[in-house]
Amino acid sequence: PIGTANDIMDAQFSPDGQSILYRTSESLYYIAQINSTTEPISLGRYIGTGGFNNNGTKVVFSNFDPLKAYESFPFILEFSADRTSRTLTAGSDYVIDPTYSQLDDTIYFAIKSKDLEGTQGMFKIASVNPEGKINDVYSADGYSLELPKPSGLNIYIAIEKYSPEALLD
């Protein structure tokens, strides 16, 4: 849209299919309306995204504060359609892979649970509810759990499971 979609690395449609969230090769994220000639909204540069919430009014990102490069970790940031944002984790614990529940605004993500030399560490699955409370969801002794994907009714969560040897390989 409007010349901003050069070198797109990935893209996700909103739940209603009317908007698209995309990342350029410079890691700049934009939201554009599909059937509109209005200028896409530039959201900024982020490490990664977990996409839209179930009604398309919020987008979740993982980000890193370069000013705290030696003392903080990636954190989770949520943007709302009203152009407000809020930081959901403080950057004091390493977090990756945020994704929304398909039923509400709960965000599932992986959070470091144990150090493992030569890797980012071993992770467990946690969630942050719409009020900002972080809860443990699932951990497995001796394994790193990443990339949570909740099912449509939040009955199940698909998780990638890695042994320490697989992380070191």
Side-chain angles (χ1 to χ4, degrees):
I2 319 286
T4 62
N6 298 326
D7 298 326
I8 289 182
M9 301 302 292
D10 57 33
Q12 298 177 28
F13 287 99
S14 62
D16 65 5
Q18 298 301 307
S19 301
I20 189 166
L21 171 70
Y22 59 95
R23 177 174 59 103
T24 66
S25 60
E26 294 89 26
S27 293
L28 293 168
Y29 281 90
Y30 292 88
I31 291 181
Q33 298 298 309
I34 300 296
N35 295 318
S36 174
T37 58
T38 61
E39 190 76 23
I41 299 168
S42 175
L43 298 177
R45 182 174 278 127
Y46 300 99
I47 295 171
T49 183
F52 291 95
N53 66 345
N54 66 333
N55 62 11
T57 60
K58 297 179 183 177
V59 179
V60 66
F61 292 99
S62 57
N63 203 16
F64 190 78
D65 186 345
L67 299 177
K68 297 182 179 179
Y70 298 106
E71 59 186 22
S72 72
F73 297 105
F75 55 90
I76 297 172
L77 180 71
E78 181 180 62
F79 272 104
S80 297
D82 62 5
R83 298 191 183 206
T84 61
S85 65
R86 67 182 183 142
T87 302
L88 301 175
T89 60
S92 55
D93 294 307
Y94 203 114
V95 297
I96 55 174
D97 307 329
T99 190
Y100 281 104
S101 155
Q102 295 183 29
L103 296 178
D104 58 22
D105 285 346
T106 298
I107 298 169
Y108 294 97
F109 60 97
I111 186 169
K112 186 166 80 169
S113 60
K114 183 179 177 184
D115 288 324
L116 181 62
E117 182 124 1
T119 70
Q120 294 176 349
M122 296 180 68
F123 291 83
K124 62 183 178 181
I125 303 301
S127 67
V128 59
N129 66 19
E131 291 77 39
K133 184 172 190 280
I134 296 175
N135 300 299
D136 284 346
V137 173
Y138 184 70
S139 62
D141 287 336
Y143 291 95
S144 184
L145 307 175
E146 302 174 23
L147 292 165
K149 300 288 182 227
S151 66
L153 296 175
N154 280 9
I155 297 171
Y156 304 102
I157 299 177
I159 301 167
E160 289 192 15
K161 181 177 171 182
Y162 299 98
S163 67
E165 296 78 22
L167 293 173
L168 292 167
D169 188 10

